[in-house]
Amino acid sequence: VELEPRRGAIYDCNLKAQAFNMSMDSLYAVPSVIKNKENVVNQLLPILGLERGYLQERLSRKKSFIWLARKLSPEKSAEIKQLNIKGLGFLKETKRIYPNSYLASHIIGFSGMDNIGLEGIERGFNNYLKGAPGWAIFLRDARLKKLDIWEKMVLPVDGLDLVLTIDEVIQYIAERELDKAFKSFHAKGASIVVMDPHTGRILAMANRPTYDLNDHSSVSKDSIRNRAICDLFEPGAVFKIVTASAAVEEKRVTEEDVFFCENGSFQVGGRILHDHKPHGNLTFRRVIEESSNIGTVKVALLLGPDTLYRYIKAFGFGSKLGIDLSGEISGMIIPPRLWSKSSITAIPMGQGVGVTTLQLASAISVIANGGQLMKPYIIDSVRDNQGRIIKQNKSVLIRKVISVDTALRIKKILTGVIEEGTGKLGKVLGFSAAGKTGTAQKLEPDGSYSHTKFIASFIGFAPAEDPLLTIVVTVDEPHPYYFGGVVAAPVFQKVASDVIRYLKANQIPMETTAQ
């Protein structure tokens, strides 16, 4: 017989179990020993809830061992044992249990009946978790009764445990608020990422629709998909942080430089640009606070395509960030040699580029932490069943993107977005916050921009002067309201408020920036 190893457990950062194995009885039969098979079928049917034909077929096989039901609940197992049917027996197997059912389902994933990981971390880190089976040879007597005599034995090697960077309390807060927005705005989908901007540690990541890890047999692929890392979308106005940062870093603008925003309509590069409301003269600071498309494009024209593209790449767009989850995509950015005449009017305000929610979280963290692009990660450590650390992850600096001075200046402007601009509903009571709203038109199948389908988003961090966390919220096709400042900003506000209070109340130390 094979001796099953213990599959490693998965814990949150405070060592609260998110996945573990529980020992359960699995029912087998020795068909040749069972005399009245139909009577046995009748006795088992109401307990197992299986089809009559299935049990009849299993018991009719000419075999000395056949599975009837795997990993039974303790109640069902006890009922069958009371029947005392000759020819039935039990073997101990372990079943994967997810104590928080829906929580962090897209991160954790699930394993199958044979304890092989099929989705999420369960699949990506299966080699760590699964362990190695052992085996033993035992003797039976002439009546096939197992004797307690073992001839040879190789003990199984238990799997290793994983400790995540996720905090289950922060995860719960993020999922609760995302779920409210997803339902109240009748959205097609939604994602949220909460990150420590100084280290790249993911504190929470969630998507809607979602599913129960303990009951995934009939779940659609759409519900299983981790949208935060594998869904591509045009970001819209949240992308203006790249244009603004590049312009300040390259000393092309100062906060008080004035741009004429053409009273809401501007013909450039063969297209007519519009603002969501008309503006005349705006300072550069107000261009970002009021999210003026025309002002942003005029800033981008001072930079030129090559410089703007260099900063888009530097902020982490167009390539994978290397998070320790399978399924991450690189997004899509077009090199300047392939730009059309109108590209310089579209890309600076987040059209004609494809990004992920995770990439936006890393990009806004650059401004929060003083100019550094950190590699996001979700596995804190790998440990054995004695708690000894086998592998410890640390924060990794990908590159320096902008100077500390530029980051501080953009941070001040983004604080103004929440205090005076389009992000007022993102204002966190008792704390300062910085952020940017986005409302992006989705593409129709014919390549035109939709006037009914939008992605509403908000990216930000709090407290503004000493950020504890970065939060990105994206909501796919909300209605009837679809503006990022109305749909996504309140999610940011509630999550930031509750999480900061939780961190301060528990005095949970956040790692300092990697040198």
Side-chain angles (χ1 to χ4, degrees):
V1 293
E2 187 176 279
L3 302 177
E4 187 183 29
R6 165 192 168 274
R7 185 171 177 83
I10 299 174
Y11 298 99
D12 85 336
C13 63
N14 297 313
L15 298 182
K16 291 177 180 169
Q18 308 300 308
F20 58 86
N21 276 34
M22 185 179 279
S23 184
M24 290 188 164
D25 283 331
S26 286
L27 176 66
Y28 70 88
V30 184
S32 58
V33 173
I34 297 173
K35 297 289 183 276
N36 190 340
K37 292 185 174 60
E38 199 58 33
N39 187 36
V40 171
V41 169
N42 290 333
Q43 288 178 281
L44 293 177
L45 269 179
I47 301 171
L48 296 176
L50 298 168
E51 290 182 7
R52 178 180 290 275
Y54 171 83
L55 283 176
Q56 288 173 330
E57 188 274 328
R58 304 292 282 182
L59 292 176
S60 67
R61 294 190 187 182
K62 290 181 168 48
K63 287 196 168 186
S64 60
F65 180 95
I66 198 87
W67 284 121
L68 292 183
R70 307 275 296 276
K71 303 180 183 181
L72 294 167
S73 68
E75 295 78 20
K76 287 184 178 180
S77 172
E79 276 190 73
I80 296 168
K81 283 174 181 173
Q82 281 182 343
L83 296 175
N84 204 19
I85 299 170
K86 192 177 180 185
L88 297 186
F90 293 90
L91 284 177
K92 287 288 183 190
E93 289 194 291
T94 59
K95 183 181 181 182
R96 200 67 163 165
I97 303 292
Y98 302 97
N100 295 324
S101 61
Y102 287 89
L103 199 73
S105 56
H106 298 97
I107 298 166
I108 296 165
F110 54 83
S111 57
M113 183 63 77
D114 293 315
N115 280 327
I116 301 297
L118 300 176
E119 285 291 340
I121 282 170
E122 290 276 32
R123 180 184 176 188
F125 287 81
N126 189 60
N127 285 344
Y128 285 98
L129 291 163
K130 69 179 181 182
W135 54 267
I137 296 172
F138 66 83
L139 304 181
R140 293 182 190 270
D141 68 9
R143 293 180 177 177
L144 298 180
K145 186 182 177 187
K146 194 161 73 174
L147 304 174
D148 287 333
I149 300 172
W150 302 81
E151 291 221 310
K152 290 180 182 172
M153 180 187 286
V154 173
L155 289 172
V157 179
D158 288 343
L160 297 169
D161 296 337
L162 298 180
V163 180
L164 307 182
T165 59
I166 297 293
D167 183 311
E168 75 171 21
V169 175
I170 298 175
Q171 182 75 25
Y172 171 77
I173 293 167
E175 294 210 25
R176 180 190 68 199
E177 297 306 328
L178 188 71
D179 201 59
K180 284 182 196 170
F182 173 67
K183 287 172 179 170
S184 61
F185 292 106
H186 315 287
K188 183 179 177 184
S191 295
I192 186 168
V193 172
V194 183
M195 181 191 284
D196 175 352
H198 303 287
T199 62
R201 285 172 70 89
I202 302 292
L203 307 176
M205 179 187 285
N207 305 280
R208 289 297 181 269
T210 187
Y211 67 102
D212 183 350
L213 291 172
N214 292 308
D215 184 19
H216 51 76
S217 54
S218 57
V219 176
S220 68
K221 286 283 181 193
D222 189 53
S223 297
I224 289 174
R225 196 169 76 246
N226 189 347
R227 295 163 177 266
I229 62 169
C230 71
D231 272 21
L232 181 80
F233 59 93
E234 291 193 352
V238 291
F239 203 69
K240 291 174 183 175
I241 64 164
V242 178
T243 308
S245 299
V248 171
E249 183 75 7
E250 294 292 315
K251 297 182 170 56
R252 302 293 165 87
V253 296
T254 67
E255 287 82 339
E256 303 310 318
D257 286 354
V258 176
F259 293 86
F260 178 51
C261 295
E262 309 286 338
N263 296 315
S265 183
F266 180 46
Q267 185 158 1
V268 59
R271 70 182 287 208
I272 297 174
L273 274 184
H274 295 284
D275 279 337
H276 66 281
K277 65 178 183 184
H279 298 289
N281 284 329
L282 289 178
T283 62
F284 169 65
R285 179 196 306 280
R286 293 295 291 164
V287 163
I288 303 304
E289 286 178 2
E290 292 294 337
S291 202
S292 165
N293 294 332
I294 293 166
T296 302
V297 166
K298 286 192 171 187
V299 171
L301 288 169
L302 297 175
L303 285 166
D306 290 327
T307 302
L308 181 61
Y309 179 76
R310 179 159 49 85
Y311 278 91
I312 292 169
K313 291 277 286 181
F315 267 90
F317 297 105
S319 56
K320 292 180 183 179
L321 292 162
I323 191 169
D324 35 14
L325 284 170
S326 53
E328 186 196 4
I329 62 168
S330 58
M332 184 203 72
I333 58 173
I334 305 165
R337 60 188 170 79
L338 299 176
W339 285 19
S340 66
K341 278 185 180 176
S342 63
S343 291
I344 193 66
T345 69
I347 289 170
M349 58 184 197
Q351 289 184 342
V353 291
V355 306
T356 67
T357 304
L358 180 68
Q359 285 176 334
L360 289 176
S362 288
I364 189 68
S365 292
V366 168
I367 292 157
N369 68 29
Q372 301 185 116
L373 182 68
M374 305 304 296
K375 179 181 175 181
Y377 67 103
I378 210 158
I379 303 291
D380 173 81
S381 57
V382 180
R383 307 182 182 203
D384 66 15
N385 57 12
Q386 304 296 313
R388 290 180 292 244
I389 294 175
I390 308 299
K391 182 183 177 187
Q392 177 73 56
N393 278 339
K394 290 189 171 66
S395 53
V396 175
L397 172 66
I398 297 176
R399 71 181 74 89
K400 183 80 173 164
V401 181
I402 52 175
S403 66
V404 172
D405 178 64
T406 296
L408 287 170
R409 289 166 67 187
I410 298 298
K411 185 190 287 188
K412 205 167 182 182
I413 292 172
L414 295 183
T415 304
V417 170
I418 288 180
E419 297 292 336
E420 308 289 338
T422 56
K424 290 190 184 80
L425 292 179
K427 190 174 173 66
V428 183
L429 295 175
F431 305 103
S432 59
K436 183 72 190 79
T437 58
T439 309
Q441 292 169 282
K442 290 182 74 172
L443 285 171
E444 296 285 11
D446 64 1
S448 65
Y449 280 102
S450 173
H451 295 287
T452 57
K453 296 174 184 174
F454 299 87
I455 288 182
S457 56
F458 190 91
I459 64 177
F461 50 87
E465 62 283 351
D466 185 19
L468 283 176
L469 40 104
T470 291
I471 302 169
V472 173
V473 182
T474 55
V475 184
D476 187 5
E477 291 187 27
H479 60 274
Y481 301 107
Y482 55 82
F483 288 112
V486 176
V487 175
V491 179
F492 167 86
Q493 183 266 320
K494 287 168 189 155
V495 173
S497 176
D498 284 1
V499 171
I500 290 170
R501 283 182 175 82
Y502 162 71
L503 291 174
K504 287 183 179 293
N506 291 277
Q507 295 184 313
I508 294 173
M510 308 298 275
E511 287 183 44
T512 52
T513 311
Q515 297 302 310

